[in-house]
Amino acid sequence: MSVLPLVFTSGWASGINAYAVVLLLGVFGATGLSDDVPEALQRPDVLIAAAVLFLCEAVADKIPYVDSVWDSVHTVIRPVSGAVVAALLAGQSGSLPELAAGAVGGTTALMSHLVKAGTRMAVNTSPEPFSNIAVSTAEDLGVAAIIVFALFHPLAAAVVAGTLLAVGLAVVAFLAQRIRRFWRRRAQRREERRLTPPGQRSPVPTDGSEHF
């Protein structure tokens, strides 16, 4: 079977948590649970580095606004990681040119990373930290589940990853439209208050209409 479904799924997962993907694939390969994992991902130094960075991300990803800074730093790292993992998987399989696999993995990782970063920016508008923790935990569990699923059922996992990516892009587009509308309304109200004489200004609305 072509390695393309596994390449696509690993790319999607790398855009969410690249270190978890490298760690999981490496562990499955090193323990002999999968023959599809290249030896480069099974090296002890690679596994240790991936484990340490995964723990760092697990903490940073659950702190409001820190997660957005972390995402900004990883705008390049996650797509590159997705491309490298995809190329290694293609080289291990030999059923897909490594350059093509890298392009698929990197592009998919970039799109899923943009979905994650956009969603987190919306979540950070919430004043409490529990939504960040819940979303981050769900992402970690989702990445782990889909990578394990992809190693044994690559085609089905690719369908799931593709569906999640499409839904995520639609949600981010919807949120972006709502946020733009919110900022336009807010700028319009400020301009109206600036142009209205002080004695004629109406009180600031308290019914929640200023909130996103």
Side-chain angles (χ1 to χ4, degrees):
M1 180 182 292
S2 172
V3 76
L4 182 59
L6 182 57
V7 162
F8 179 86
T9 304
S10 66
W12 175 86
S14 294
I16 306 297
N17 193 325
Y19 306 123
V21 173
V22 174
L23 182 61
L24 283 169
L25 289 176
V27 168
F28 268 74
T31 55
L33 294 174
S34 175
D35 298 328
D36 298 325
V37 181
E39 293 183 4
L41 297 179
Q42 303 178 33
R43 291 167 41 186
D45 56 332
V46 173
L47 292 176
I48 292 173
V52 171
L53 290 169
F54 170 74
L55 291 176
C56 292
E57 175 149 340
V59 175
D61 209 37
K62 293 175 176 60
I63 303 174
Y65 298 105
V66 174
D67 59 348
S68 291
V69 174
W70 184 269
D71 286 338
S72 298
V73 173
H74 285 72
T75 301
V76 175
I77 297 175
R78 286 170 182 158
V80 170
S81 178
V84 171
V85 169
L88 290 173
L89 290 171
Q92 173 82 359
S93 171
S95 60
L96 182 70
E98 295 179 22
L99 185 60
V104 172
T107 301
T108 308
L110 177 60
M111 288 191 293
S112 63
H113 164 76
L114 294 177
V115 169
K116 173 177 180 173
T119 303
R120 285 310 184 84
M121 289 178 65
V123 171
N124 281 334
T125 61
S126 174
E128 41 75 28
F130 303 108
S131 54
N132 295 74
I133 296 174
V135 171
S136 177
T137 302
E139 288 172 351
D140 293 341
L141 293 175
V143 166
I146 202 165
I147 287 296
V148 173
F149 189 46
L151 287 171
F152 300 101
H153 305 283
L155 188 57
V159 172
V160 174
T163 302
L164 291 175
L165 180 59
V167 171
L169 290 171
V171 169
V172 168
F174 171 76
L175 290 175
Q177 185 180 19
R178 289 287 301 273
I179 291 173
R180 282 197 301 268
R181 207 156 46 214
F182 166 76
W183 285 113
R184 281 200 301 266
R185 287 199 304 266
R186 191 167 186 177
Q188 183 179 2
R189 289 193 182 101
R190 286 179 176 176
E191 183 66 15
E192 290 173 352
R193 285 198 293 267
R194 187 181 69 84
L195 296 176
T196 302
Q200 300 179 14
R201 291 181 183 176
S202 58
V204 177
T206 58
D207 59 356
S209 59
E210 279 287 328
H211 298 291
F212 170 68

